[in-house]
Amino acid sequence: MKIGIISDIHEDILALRKAFETLERLGCSDVVCLGDIVGFKVNTYHYLDTRSAHECIAMVKANCNTVVIGNNDLYQVKRLPKYTGGIDFPENWYELDFFERKKISDNRVFLYEDVQLNALLTAADKVYLRELPELATKQYNGRNIFFSHFAYPDLHGVRTCFPQMAEEYHEHLTFIDNHNCKTGFSGHMHFEGISICNHDDIERNPFGKYKLTDQLQWLYGPCVARGQFNNGVLVFDTDKFEVEAVPLLFTGN
């Protein structure tokens, strides 16, 4: 069985269509979405005229059986994160103005509205995002697999820091293990290819196919959206227990 894994769409409907076309061509029978369906940053993305949060949500709803929420999804529906990354968010966080939140956060969390446009959403779209789970686990061929947008304790990716060393992700590996899983998948980082993290090392790999082991491991893959890094998708072959990072090779407007 082949599982498609997508993440970080950021309202890029043209790239999302290409992603689903690619996953169908590669024989994926199920697709998991790891969040950030919405969230368009004017200083990062260059498809302003074609962005469509509403169409992206509709396509994800129609094609993905498992979806978790990302930090940009949380912001667009003004939902506080359950996993805060050690940040003490006041209950009235979204009622505070930008400068009040900037002072409280001390640049430790994304504030969004300085660079992000409001997503154009229907009432039903907002309900859908508000009800997305923080994490998911699924069983394939007797193996439990963990899915989240980012890494515990910052499971949603609300913090501005991106740890670089394997030991900085030990908490997340333990979190995966505590959910009776040995393998976890996330997005958020946007790096092209696929990175594989265990207790000792982070192996950053280019697009390609990689055999997995049964050791405790966390993998994060590329973004669907066209941005700073080459975009792509993951294909997880549950029978062969291998993952392929596939470039989308799409740069259309």
Side-chain angles (χ1 to χ4, degrees):
M1 182 178 185
K2 290 183 178 180
I3 310 300
I5 300 174
I6 61 175
S7 187
D8 299 277
I9 300 158
H10 294 286
E11 307 181 25
D12 191 346
I13 185 61
L14 299 186
L16 183 60
R17 289 172 184 159
K18 179 68 174 181
F20 281 119
E21 290 170 5
T22 300
L23 295 175
E24 182 177 13
R25 174 175 54 82
L26 294 174
C28 294
S29 56
D30 192 8
V31 182
V32 174
C33 177
L34 301 179
D36 274 5
I37 305 169
V38 301
F40 180 89
K41 295 172 66 176
V42 297
N43 62 343
T44 302
Y45 308 116
H46 306 288
Y47 44 86
L48 176 65
D49 292 342
T50 59
R51 74 181 181 109
S52 179
H54 174 65
E55 288 182 89
C56 287
I57 289 173
M59 187 166 283
V60 168
K61 287 172 68 175
N63 292 279
C64 298
N65 292 322
T66 301
V67 185
V68 297
I69 198 163
N71 55 304
N72 286 276
D73 305 319
L74 286 167
Y75 169 70
Q76 288 292 342
V77 293
K78 304 300 183 285
R79 172 178 158 185
L80 287 174
K82 177 179 179 180
Y83 300 93
T84 65
I87 306 298
D88 186 18
F89 290 97
E91 288 296 321
N92 65 338
W93 177 249
Y94 290 115
E95 298 171 14
L96 303 175
D97 64 41
F98 174 83
F99 298 101
E100 289 174 310
R101 286 186 289 114
K102 185 175 182 179
K103 182 177 180 180
I104 292 171
S105 67
D106 192 27
N107 295 318
R108 293 177 297 163
V109 301
F110 293 111
L111 298 178
Y112 305 101
E113 64 259 55
D114 53 339
V115 294
Q116 187 171 132
L117 298 181
N118 287 331
L120 303 179
L121 302 171
T122 66
D125 293 336
K126 293 178 181 178
V127 170
Y128 176 75
L129 293 177
R130 289 193 188 104
E131 293 180 348
L132 287 177
E134 291 86 5
L135 58 90
T137 62
K138 296 193 73 174
Q139 187 175 95
Y140 304 102
N141 289 8
R143 292 184 175 98
N144 294 325
I145 308 298
F146 182 93
F147 299 103
S148 62
H149 184 65
F150 194 43
Y152 182 86
D154 186 18
L155 204 64
H156 314 298
V158 299
R159 297 194 58 154
T160 54
C161 66
F162 293 84
Q164 300 296 312
M165 306 300 291
E167 54 264 30
E168 296 176 281
Y169 292 110
H170 283 183
E171 281 188 277
H172 184 57
L173 289 169
T174 300
F175 194 72
I176 292 171
D177 196 27
N178 288 342
H179 282 79
N180 197 31
C181 301
K182 294 297 182 185
T183 299
F185 286 94
S186 297
H188 187 60
M189 300 282 267
H190 289 213
F191 293 155
E192 56 195 69
I194 185 165
S195 299
I196 304 175
C197 175
N198 57 39
H199 269 98
D200 301 317
D201 189 31
I202 299 177
E203 184 181 275
R204 295 185 172 90
N205 303 293
F207 288 108
K209 191 175 291 185
Y210 301 91
K211 185 72 175 177
L212 302 180
T213 69
D214 283 317
Q215 69 175 327
L216 186 58
Q217 59 194 335
W218 171 56
L219 301 88
Y220 51 93
C223 59
V224 168
R226 292 161 290 164
Q228 179 182 358
F229 299 100
N230 291 327
N231 56 340
V233 295
L234 298 180
V235 176
F236 175 38
D237 189 322
T238 62
D239 297 322
K240 297 180 179 178
F241 203 48
E242 65 183 19
V243 64
E244 183 178 7
V246 182
L248 287 180
L249 302 176
F250 175 73
T251 58
N253 295 319

